[in-house]
Amino acid sequence: MALSRLERVQVWLLKAVTGVLVIVFRFFSPRRPALSGKKLPPVRNPLLLMSATQLAKKIRRKEVSSVEVVQAYIDRIQEVNPFVNAVVKDRFAAALQEAAQVDKLIEEETGGEEVLEDRLPLLGVPLSVKESYALQGMPFTTGLVSRRGIVATVDAPPVIEVFVYDSVLLTEKNTFPLGVVSCENQYPPSSGRQEEYLSSGPMCRYAEDLLPMLKIMAGPRVNMLSLNTKVDLKKLRFFTIPHDGGSPLTTPVSKELVDIQRKVAERLEADLGVKVQEVHFPELRYSFEIWDAYMALPDKEGKPPQMFAELMGEPGRPAWPLWELLKWMIGRSDHTLAAISVGLIEMTHMSKTPSSIIQMKEKLQKEVDELLGADGVFLYPSHPKVAPKHHHPLLRPFDFSYTGIINILGLPVTQCPLGVGEEGLPLGVQVVAGKLQDHLTLAVALHLEKTFGGWKDPGAN
């Protein structure tokens, strides 16, 4: 289905806006000293290389204390955060106190290891929470200058569930239900119909930790999923989609990502005796246009979603993206170029969602749902390029649509690490299943981790 003339004008405007932003960024971006020649120190403490599941088992068996594990992670955070700037606020002292309470609880437990595993599966294991989730007593700004000083007074539901299962919270990290995991008490809040297309989930280094974390974070909605169902991978139907069909807005998928996805398909065929069928959906070429249109849909009362410029200006008047861009060029804006870019792109929105985009999405939804059913999975690139350098995504702002379209379709996905490429950068692929079939993607993720080695220590040689 071709775009109308008006829609083609919108695409042209989007490309023009991003082209201007590229020029502005290259000429006016401040030059900061790089950490040239420096790389992350390797992991030396073996506790840091264990999965959360393994650590929890050792803690329950008193082979290691929760205090030891938490202290090991604190030491590592303090060692690498000057390189990665991932932690915005720590609660190390409180975490050590909670870890000591965990060790005391285990010492006094009379029901045995099995009781603890069933009741508190990740007892004593540390974790971090994105700053966009409300965590009582911690900053809740999501990077907005206008929210500077705001501290959360409540916990987001997934954080509450984590506390209930006695993980130990270490830090908040820099940084969205259709999904089973609640998006309540996150910022920015959803508006319009965005709640239908926003989802959250766990981020773990090891595939075996995804299942227990998802069970915990889903809380009372966990019964919507079949997470206790055993999966026979040999009985699944496998498909691969190598690219989006050539969108004019996205970067072509790099050769090394095409190659690794092909190798995944070949290994699945060799290991499981299945056939991985290559399929194509022409509508994926318009993934960004579909994502953009659906995120801008009004709610049932006809109220449109809150504009990003309004969020930028809270609690006062909405920000003026063009004015903020001029201020940014002389170093006077409180906002990043990424935030200003979102505001500028919003200005290209049409007042009414084109019917052709709605028809395109509905057609794609029907075809994908029929393809997957309850026993199908497909492979799809997570991004058209390997990890870019800082700020470079600003130059190709629509490449995220490789993941954004999966949200709009309401499908579960597990991003699977597949080792590293020629430059030592991580490779990966999305494994996508039918609605509420998360157990299928998690089972495939476990298999791929065993086959390709999974997560790699970025500081190792």
Side-chain angles (χ1 to χ4, degrees):
M1 183 184 295
L3 294 176
S4 68
R5 180 177 297 178
L6 185 59
E7 291 157 6
R8 288 198 297 271
V9 169
Q10 184 188 26
V11 170
W12 181 88
L13 282 172
L14 287 169
K15 295 177 76 171
V17 167
T18 55
V20 169
L21 291 172
V22 167
I23 295 171
V24 168
F25 178 77
R26 285 178 172 165
F27 276 93
F28 295 96
S29 178
R31 300 292 185 262
R32 295 182 175 88
L35 294 171
S36 58
K38 296 185 178 180
K39 77 180 282 190
L40 285 179
V43 174
R44 298 177 182 87
N45 191 325
L47 291 175
L48 301 175
L49 296 174
M50 294 180 185
S51 68
T53 303
Q54 293 170 333
L55 285 173
K57 182 181 293 186
K58 283 186 170 292
I59 292 170
R60 288 193 300 269
R61 293 178 175 178
K62 305 177 189 177
E63 296 173 7
V64 66
S65 69
S66 177
V67 168
E68 289 177 273
V69 174
V70 170
Q71 187 62 59
Y73 272 89
I74 290 172
D75 293 343
R76 180 62 175 173
I77 290 169
Q78 292 175 332
E79 182 179 34
V80 303
N81 203 51
F83 291 85
V84 298
N85 193 31
V87 174
V88 296
K89 179 73 173 178
D90 71 68
R91 57 189 305 278
F92 294 155
L96 286 170
Q97 290 178 0
E98 291 161 5
Q101 292 170 0
V102 166
D103 292 332
K104 182 179 179 182
L105 186 154
I106 292 173
E107 196 65 40
E108 297 173 350
E109 175 60 46
T110 58
E113 179 188 344
E114 293 76 16
V115 173
L116 280 175
E117 182 178 8
D118 180 65
R119 185 162 52 96
L120 304 167
L122 296 180
L123 180 64
V125 177
L127 80 159
S128 296
V129 175
K130 285 186 69 174
E131 204 251 15
S132 56
Y133 282 89
L135 175 56
Q136 192 171 11
M138 298 290 277
F140 190 36
T141 69
T142 319
L144 278 175
V145 172
S146 60
R147 291 177 61 82
R148 179 188 291 151
I150 291 181
V151 173
T153 58
V154 297
D155 292 324
V159 176
I160 294 173
E161 297 298 337
V162 168
F163 265 131
V164 166
Y165 282 85
D166 272 331
S167 290
V168 178
L169 289 163
L170 279 176
T171 63
E172 280 196 328
K173 297 178 69 176
N174 271 328
T175 27
F176 279 134
L178 151 95
V180 174
V181 178
S182 173
C183 289
E184 184 183 352
N185 289 329
Q186 290 189 50
Y187 194 90
S190 58
S191 55
R193 287 178 54 184
Q194 292 172 353
E195 188 176 18
E196 299 176 35
Y197 310 113
L198 300 176
S199 59
S200 300
M203 182 181 292
C204 308
R205 281 180 295 168
Y206 298 102
E208 71 172 333
D209 295 334
L210 291 170
L211 184 61
M213 276 299 295
L214 182 55
K215 284 182 177 180
I216 291 170
M217 293 177 69
R221 297 181 179 180
V222 70
N223 292 330
M224 296 171 61
L225 307 175
S226 303
L227 297 181
N228 292 324
T229 302
K230 189 174 181 180
V231 178
D232 185 348
L233 296 178
K234 295 181 178 181
K235 293 183 178 180
L236 299 185
R237 295 177 299 113
F238 288 89
F239 307 92
T240 183
I241 306 174
H243 49 72
D244 66 4
S247 167
L249 295 175
T250 59
T251 307
V253 180
S254 68
K255 182 178 182 301
E256 61 181 334
L257 290 175
V258 170
D259 289 345
I260 195 66
Q261 186 166 324
R262 187 188 69 251
K263 289 178 182 177
V264 169
E266 292 172 351
R267 284 303 302 267
L268 289 172
E269 291 181 335
D271 295 347
L272 305 176
V274 298
K275 174 65 178 175
V276 181
Q277 179 184 349
E278 184 171 317
V279 295
H280 298 269
F281 295 103
E283 294 79 15
L284 287 175
R285 191 169 184 264
Y286 306 100
S287 292
F288 173 76
E289 291 89 336
I290 293 172
W291 179 90
D292 190 48
Y294 272 73
M295 290 298 286
L297 289 176
D299 61 20
K300 294 178 181 178
E301 284 72 43
K303 184 179 179 180
Q306 187 176 19
M307 298 288 284
F308 191 74
E310 295 177 27
L311 294 171
M312 291 169 65
E314 284 187 343
R317 294 181 301 177
W320 294 359
L322 284 172
W323 177 239
E324 291 299 330
L325 179 61
L326 293 173
K327 288 165 62 179
W328 182 88
M329 292 166 62
I330 59 174
R332 300 300 298 272
S333 176
D334 286 332
H335 303 286
T336 64
L337 185 59
I340 296 169
S341 300
V342 173
L344 290 171
I345 290 172
E346 278 188 337
M347 295 172 64
T348 69
H349 281 170
M350 300 179 186
S351 57
K352 185 178 180 182
T353 303
S355 59
S356 60
I357 296 293
I358 301 294
Q359 293 168 11
M360 221 180 280
K361 189 268 183 182
E362 291 176 348
K363 182 174 184 291
L364 177 61
Q365 186 82 65
K366 183 174 183 295
E367 292 175 345
V368 170
D369 288 347
E370 290 177 352
L371 176 78
L372 293 174
D375 62 348
V377 296
F378 69 73
L379 310 173
Y380 193 52
S382 308
H383 197 268
K385 295 287 185 182
V386 294
K389 294 180 180 180
H390 283 321
H391 308 301
H392 281 219
L394 290 170
L395 313 182
R396 301 297 302 183
F398 308 114
D399 286 348
F400 80 91
S401 57
Y402 270 85
T403 53
I405 189 64
I406 307 300
N407 283 73
I408 298 300
L409 294 173
L411 304 175
V413 56
T414 301
Q415 149 64 26
C416 301
L418 302 169
V420 296
E422 298 172 356
E423 300 179 16
L425 296 173
L427 305 175
V429 70
Q430 295 184 92
V431 177
V432 186
K435 292 181 178 179
L436 301 178
Q437 305 301 315
D438 301 62
H439 61 297
L440 302 186
T441 70
L442 297 178
V444 174
L446 276 168
H447 180 79
L448 294 182
E449 181 176 75
K450 293 174 184 176
T451 304
F452 289 89
W455 174 83
K456 303 293 184 184
D457 174 10
N461 292 327

